[in-house]
Amino acid sequence: MSATGSSRMGKIVGKTVAERLGKTLLELGGNNAMIVSPEADLNIVLVGAVFGAVGTAGQRCTTTRRLIVHDSIYKDVKKKLAKAYKQLNIGNPLNSKNHVGPLIDKDAVKMYMNTIKRVKEQGGKFVVQGGVLKGDDYKSGCYVKPCIAEVENHYEIVQHETFAPILYLMKYKNLDEAIAMQNDVPQGLSSALMTNNLREAELFLS
C-alpha cells in the first residue's frame, strides 16, 4: 500500500471506530533507520541493509529508509553497498532469480522520480543512481532502479516517507547522536542497531 493509500485507509478506520466511541492508535507509515556501529559485523549489516531497503521494492512500512553509519566505517559501508546494489536483479517477482519487482503503479513511479529530484535540489549526492527501467521486460513502466543517496537527516525530503527503494545514507560520530538522528523524524514504526557491543545495545533499547 502506498503512503497515500495508508492515509486513506486510516481515515476510514478512524471514522468507523469513532462511530462506536472507540479510540484508535494508527501507524500509517514509517521512516525507519538502521544505525551501524563500528563494532557491527559488516557481513550481516550488508545483508540486512540491502534486504531492508529493496525488499518488496521499498513498498512496506518497515522498509529501511535511513542508514546511519559511524564515520570510521562509513566509506567501507558505502563501497560495499554500492557493489551489492550493482548485483541486484530487477524484474518479474515471480522469477525467483530476481531481487526487486515493480512499484505498485505509475503514481508510485512519479513519487519516486520526484523524490530523487528533490534530494538533488536539497544537496543530496547519489552513490547509486536511480531511474525508470525501459525495455521488453519492463513494459508496465513501473520498474525502477534501487538507489542510494548521501544526505543530511534535516533535509526536508528525508523527513518524508517515500514508498520506493530509495536509501538515505548518513554518518554519525557517537551513539547518542545516532539515536537522536534516528528519532528526529515525524514518523515512527521500526528501528535497528547493528552492533556486537552489549552496552551499545542496552543503551539503544533504553
Side-chain angles (χ1 to χ4, degrees):
M1 184 182 292
S2 70
T4 304
S6 295
S7 298
R8 216 167 26 238
M9 182 61 70
K11 289 177 182 178
I12 294 169
V13 171
K15 181 180 177 182
T16 303
V17 174
E19 287 174 352
R20 61 175 178 79
L21 301 178
K23 294 181 179 180
T24 57
L25 177 61
L26 302 173
E27 177 55 69
L28 302 175
N31 198 342
N32 314 297
M34 177 186 290
I35 298 170
V36 182
S37 163
E39 298 196 48
D41 182 331
L42 292 189
N43 291 320
I44 295 175
V45 167
L46 194 63
V47 173
V50 173
F51 178 76
V54 307
T56 63
Q59 299 175 113
R60 62 172 182 262
C61 292
T62 52
T63 289
T64 302
R65 307 202 182 278
R66 296 176 296 140
L67 200 64
I68 305 170
V69 184
H70 192 271
D71 59 3
S72 67
I73 57 170
Y74 183 85
K75 287 183 180 179
D76 193 23
V77 170
K78 180 171 72 170
K79 182 179 177 181
K80 289 178 184 295
L81 276 173
K83 183 178 179 181
Y85 267 55
K86 289 177 182 177
Q87 299 174 51
L88 291 172
N89 294 324
I90 305 168
N92 188 332
L94 298 179
N95 182 342
S96 61
K97 293 182 179 179
N98 290 328
H99 305 107
V100 186
L103 294 182
I104 192 169
D105 56 27
K106 290 188 178 178
D107 283 341
V109 175
K110 288 178 184 175
M111 188 181 301
Y112 161 87
M113 292 301 295
N114 184 53
T115 298
I116 289 175
K117 179 183 176 184
R118 289 168 68 189
V119 168
K120 291 177 180 178
E121 289 173 348
Q122 292 171 29
K125 296 180 180 179
F126 279 85
V127 177
V128 176
Q129 298 291 330
V132 180
L133 292 167
K134 301 180 188 279
D136 291 342
D137 292 334
Y138 313 112
K139 288 181 180 178
S140 69
C142 294
Y143 288 89
V144 302
K145 300 175 185 176
C147 54
I148 303 172
E150 293 183 283
V151 299
E152 298 290 337
N153 200 59
H154 62 81
Y155 289 176
E156 184 266 341
I157 188 59
V158 176
Q159 294 288 312
H160 289 269
E161 177 191 35
T162 301
F163 258 57
I166 301 173
L167 179 64
Y168 297 128
L169 193 60
M170 53 196 86
K171 62 179 72 170
Y172 75 94
K173 287 186 168 69
N174 61 68
L175 187 56
D176 286 336
E177 178 190 10
I179 292 171
M181 289 168 64
Q182 174 200 274
N183 291 330
D184 191 24
V185 291
Q187 310 86 355
L189 196 52
S190 70
S191 59
L193 167 67
M194 305 298 273
T195 185
N196 287 324
N197 184 314
L198 186 58
R199 289 186 178 182
E200 285 187 332
E202 289 292 343
L203 175 61
F204 176 79
L205 290 171
S206 70

